């Protein structure tokens, strides 16, 4: 009865033309333009046929695949033209449908003519997931499309039966690499080598390559470094009814970093660990949810959304398995809404939430390490992050920072300082940078000894830690007696003045009472001259860099270095707040430790 019901429902969908077209942009990340859009068809939202897998599987069973594909094709062309979308339209075509005897000839050309879309703007995507029993007929059909002026692409390359053979014989204009080889490619040597081989073959055959299924910035960075020019995936934009129509609009909508500047493999934001995860609606019944878990053995959770695409809960595989395990479990629960069994209090965070903040929430709430965190953007569901991945990333980050930490103060060193500044630049976060330097430190070291000098440096480090012990503040130790403070805008002045005040009070304990009373001491300089040296003071240069014009951490550090030089003109401790926000040099280096 269930199969019959679905068959009738599919026929109703076809007769009522209840197909919705979503579009996902394909970006040229080299030229920073939109190459085009892949059209993705969906059935009615509150039915199992909203899933394209179920929709097309049922059509194949009912021998109406050709009819469904033609309806999807017409809807795609109609909506693409109606929205005035730029670039090319990518349409998925199943070889099975092309080979059906009933498949009408010339229908695509008529549709394009009807809606005024040039054939040169259409790409036919041939899926590579099926064995080609009648390859000669398929090649003939492809030749027909190419003769009409349409472009040909192989979809999901590397996932199926005859990839290299299809590439060799079809001679496609475009090859789309299957997302299996994209997923965490930055962590797999095998996948990296596969991608390199594909790109080399593409150059030889003059074929363009699209990396699809990109979900993490680390993947995008690696792909760019390998030479991939065309990209598609949830990281750039999810399939939607009305997609962004320009490269800049797409990047801004996803709150991504400036991609040409994105050279780092790590980031403190949870959105960069994002994974695509199947979602269902709160009206979905447990029986349908159970099918999703059966179809994907690796799927551990289903995010539950309301009609506004906002997460309201999460359904775990083990929860559902438990209620179906009893004798009458299926009979009692199949028709009930998942709302009755789901977790109503999942951890939901915005994609720009700092990983440290998320980690704190995990430990405070004692979450099961096997679970997932739901990630949103402006309240809309965008994916999930595994708690294990968050904890692993934080651990790896701490290990890396420890490797570069200053051995005297254990504060992060130059590498971590640069990373922190770059992250804020990439995330378009307005911030301030303070360069903190000790005055008269060499003379103090010469008179009181290096042990006392080390103690003073540790004192300054501890004062900086305590004063800046608040959200989103960062203290780094360049080396010697130089420190860097990075903090949100409007906090820098108050923090720096407090550091000066507390240091001047505490450092007196490291001088003799006589020197404190005199405000300094006499010492011989390098020329053999006696000179009065004041007590230790601080010079701090504070800048608020223009994030639109500073391209890297070195330019920001140069601004702070110039400000610190101005502060050192004063005899007493001084905070110099620099009004200049833009760099004057293309590239400079972080100040070298004394």
């Amino acid at each position: 009865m269930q199969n019959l019901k679905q068959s009738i429902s599919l026929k109703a969908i076809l007769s009522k033309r209840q197909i919705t077209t979503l579009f996902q942009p394909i970006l040229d990340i080299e030229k920073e333009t939109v190459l085009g859009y892949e059209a993705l068809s969906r059935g009615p939202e509150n039915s199992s046929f909203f899933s394209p897998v179920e929709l097309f599987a049922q059509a194949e069973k009912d021998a109406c695949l050709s009819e469904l594909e033609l309806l999807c094709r017409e809807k795609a062309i109609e909506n693409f033209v109606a929205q005035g979308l730029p670039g090319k339209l990518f349409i998925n075509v199943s070889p099975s449908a092309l080979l059906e005897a009933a498949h009408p000839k010339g229908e695509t050309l008529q549709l394009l003519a009807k809606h005024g879309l040039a054939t040169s703007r259409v790409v036919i995507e041939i899926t590579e997931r099926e064995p080609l029993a009648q390859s000669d007929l398929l090649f003939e059909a492809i030749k027909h499309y190419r003769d009409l002026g349409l472009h040909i692409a192989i979809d999901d390359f590397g996932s199926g039966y005859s990839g290299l053979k299809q590439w060799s014989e079809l001679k496609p204009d475009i090859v789309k690499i299957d997302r299996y080889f994209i997923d965490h490619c930055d962590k797999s040597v095998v996948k990296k080598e596969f991608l390199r081989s594909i790109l080399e073959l593409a150059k030889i055959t003059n074929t363009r390559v699209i990396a699809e299924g990109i979900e993490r910035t680390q993947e995008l960075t690696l792909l760019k470094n390998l030479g991939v020019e065309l990209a598609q995936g949830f990281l750039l934009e999810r399939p939607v009814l009305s997609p962004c129509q320009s490269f800049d609009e797409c990047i801004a909508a996803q709150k991504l970093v400036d991609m040409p500047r994105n050279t780092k493999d790590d980031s403190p934001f949870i959105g960069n660990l994002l994974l695509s995860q199947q979602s269902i609606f709160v009206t979905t019944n447990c029986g349908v949810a159970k099918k999703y878990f059966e179809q994907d053995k690796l799927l551990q959770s289903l995010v539950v959304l309301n009609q506004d695409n906002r997460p309201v809960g999460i359904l775990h595989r083990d929860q559902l398995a438990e209620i179906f395990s009893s004798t009458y479990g299926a009979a009692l629960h199949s028709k009930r809404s998942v709302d009755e069994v789901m977790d109503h209090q999942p951890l939901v965070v915005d994609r720009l939430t700092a990983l440290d903040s998320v980690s704190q929430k995990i430990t405070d709430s004692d979450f099961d390490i096997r679970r997932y965190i739901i990630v949103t953007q402006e309240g809309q569901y965008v994916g999930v992050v595994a708690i294990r991945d968050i904890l692993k990333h934080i651990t790896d980050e701490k290990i890396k920072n420890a490797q570069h930490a200053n051995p005297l103060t254990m504060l992060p060193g130059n590498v971590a300082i640069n990373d922190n500044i770059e992250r804020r630049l990439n995330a378009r976060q307005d911030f301030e940078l303070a360069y903190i330097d000790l005055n008269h430190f060499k003379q103090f070291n010469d008179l009181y000894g290096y042990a006392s000098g080390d103690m003073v440096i540790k004192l300054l480090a501890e004062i900086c830690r305590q004063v800046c012990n608040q959200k989103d503040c960062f203290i780094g130790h360049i080396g010697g007696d130089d420190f860097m403070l990075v903090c949100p805008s409007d906090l820098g002045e108050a923090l720096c003045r407090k550091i000066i005040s507390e240091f001047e009070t505490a450092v007196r304990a490291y001088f003799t009472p006589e020197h404190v009373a005199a405000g300094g001491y006499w010492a011989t300089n390098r020329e053999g001259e006696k000179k009065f040296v004041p007590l230790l003071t601080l010079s701090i240069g504070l800048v608020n860099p223009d994030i639109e014009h500073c391209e890297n951490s070195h330019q920001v550090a140069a601004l702070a270095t110039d400000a610190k030089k101005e502060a050192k003109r004063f005899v007493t401790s001084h905070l110099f707040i620099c009004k200049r926000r833009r760099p004057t040099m293309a590239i400079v280096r972080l100040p070298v430790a004394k």
Side-chain angles (χ1 to χ4, degrees), residues 411 434 436 458-475 484-488 491-506 538 540 575:
L411 285 174
I436 305 169
K458 291 166 74 174
L459 168 70
L460 179 54
E462 187 57 31
I463 288 172
C464 288
R465 275 196 190 97
Q466 292 178 1
V467 170
C468 303
N469 185 24
Q470 52 187 291
K471 183 180 179 182
D472 213 19
C473 284
F474 174 89
I475 288 289
M484 285 280 190
L485 159 63
V486 192
C487 64
L491 289 182
E493 181 176 358
L495 294 175
C496 290
R497 294 198 185 283
K498 190 171 184 182
I499 289 171
I500 289 174
S501 174
E502 295 197 6
F503 176 79
E504 287 189 332
T505 300
L538 293 181
I540 304 179
L575 168 64

Side-chain angles (χ1 to χ4, degrees), residues 69 87 107 135 165 174 178 189 193 216 258-259 297 345 374 405 408 425 429 484 489 511 559 589:
E69 285 216 0
E107 186 76 17
S135 58
K165 181 181 178 182
I174 298 169
D178 184 69
V189 174
E193 291 307 314
R216 301 164 56 248
D258 185 353
M259 292 201 301
K297 301 302 182 185
Q345 294 183 314
I374 300 173
L408 178 62
L425 287 174
Q429 284 186 327
M484 285 280 190
S489 291
F511 290 91
L559 288 172
R589 297 298 172 193

Side-chain angles (χ1 to χ4, degrees), residues 487-556:
C487 64
S489 291
D490 301 325
L491 289 182
E493 181 176 358
L495 294 175
C496 290
R497 294 198 185 283
K498 190 171 184 182
I499 289 171
I500 289 174
S501 174
E502 295 197 6
F503 176 79
E504 287 189 332
T505 300
V507 79
R508 290 172 176 266
Y510 294 83
F511 290 91
T512 65
E514 293 79 12
H515 289 166
V516 173
Y521 50 92
W522 290 90
T524 303
N525 63 19
R526 292 176 181 176
E527 288 74 31
E529 301 171 341
K530 285 275 188 177
K531 192 171 182 180
F532 186 78
V533 180
L535 301 180
L536 290 171
T537 58
L538 293 181
S539 292
I540 304 179
L542 179 66
V543 295
N544 176 212
D546 185 338
I547 57 176
E548 296 298 330
H549 292 85
C550 290
E551 297 181 356
N552 52 55
S553 60
H554 304 307
Q555 291 179 341
V556 177

